[in-house]
Amino acid sequence: MVSHRFIYRKLGRDPAHRRNLLRNLVTQLAKHDRILTTLAKAKAMRSWAEKIVTYAKKKTIRGDNVVRGFIYEREVAQKMMQEIAPRFQDRPGGYTRIVKAGSRFGDSAPLAYIEYLGHPNEFGKRLNGMAPHKHITNGVSPLTLRALAQPFDLSVEPRILNEKPSKEKLQGK
């Protein structure tokens, strides 16, 4: 289906609810530098998050008022103007990264991390000497590489999904 005259993602919400949802997401992103949400919400909020950083970078009264008016928490608005915006002072755009993170268990909705670039634990960094690029890692996501880099706890018995219990387990032996 061709998406002519497609302006923005509606996310199944009325305009007021959608705006408040995106304001909440941008506030939490500025507060934590990375959040996990659905892929559709991450793509919808990306432009909002980048516009707020651009306003914060301008260091004008209007820019400060827009940032304070859009972000719900006062401390987070201060963090945006004093910590996040100076990180991107020389960057002309593209302040966020979206990394797909699999599917949600209940409804199989595609999940994604959205993060501001330049914080210590960002996904784009090298991990144990491996670059997390698809052409180098054969399509393995950076999230999987990070999980594989953690040491395994062999004291825990592995659980097999969809395993049928044996008769001994059912009888309590």
Side-chain angles (χ1 to χ4, degrees):
M1 183 170 162
V2 180
S3 57
H4 294 297
R5 297 179 63 168
F6 176 75
I7 300 171
Y8 52 84
R9 289 175 175 81
K10 294 187 179 180
L11 302 174
R13 290 159 172 82
D14 61 75
H17 187 190
R18 183 172 49 249
R19 178 175 164 80
N20 289 333
L21 170 76
L22 294 174
R23 285 179 66 189
N24 273 323
L25 288 171
V26 171
T27 301
Q28 293 305 310
L29 178 62
K31 186 175 186 177
H32 300 289
D33 277 339
R34 177 191 299 149
I35 58 172
L36 177 67
T37 184
T38 63
L39 183 61
K41 289 177 189 172
K43 287 180 178 180
M45 71 169 282
R46 172 182 241 174
S47 65
W48 290 82
E50 295 195 1
K51 286 176 188 174
I52 293 300
V53 172
T54 303
Y55 275 115
K57 278 174 43 176
K58 291 181 182 178
K59 296 182 181 176
T60 61
I61 295 173
R62 174 167 166 47
D64 291 353
N65 287 341
V66 168
V67 171
R68 286 192 190 106
F70 192 81
I71 293 180
Y72 281 122
E73 300 176 24
R74 180 178 291 162
E75 299 83 22
V76 178
Q78 289 297 322
K79 178 183 176 186
M80 172 66 75
M81 291 183 282
Q82 294 172 358
E83 296 175 23
I84 297 173
R87 250 194 272 172
F88 303 115
Q89 200 60 45
D90 298 329
R91 191 177 181 100
Y95 313 121
T96 58
R97 172 186 291 124
I98 295 177
V99 178
K100 293 181 182 179
S103 299
R104 191 161 47 201
F105 180 70
D107 59 355
S108 296
L111 295 177
Y113 283 99
I114 182 167
E115 66 178 358
Y116 281 122
L117 302 177
H119 67 91
N121 295 324
E122 68 177 307
F123 283 118
K125 301 244 183 217
R126 288 185 171 266
L127 185 64
N128 291 344
M130 295 187 301
H133 301 296
K134 285 190 175 181
H135 67 278
I136 295 174
T137 60
N138 295 328
V140 179
S141 73
L143 189 64
T144 305
L145 290 175
R146 183 156 300 184
L148 291 175
Q150 302 298 326
F152 289 106
D153 185 13
L154 298 176
S155 64
V156 178
E157 182 180 328
R159 191 180 69 125
I160 300 172
L161 297 177
N162 298 329
E163 175 188 26
K164 292 183 180 178
S166 63
K167 290 182 181 180
E168 292 84 22
K169 286 186 180 179
L170 290 175
Q171 293 174 356
K173 293 182 181 178

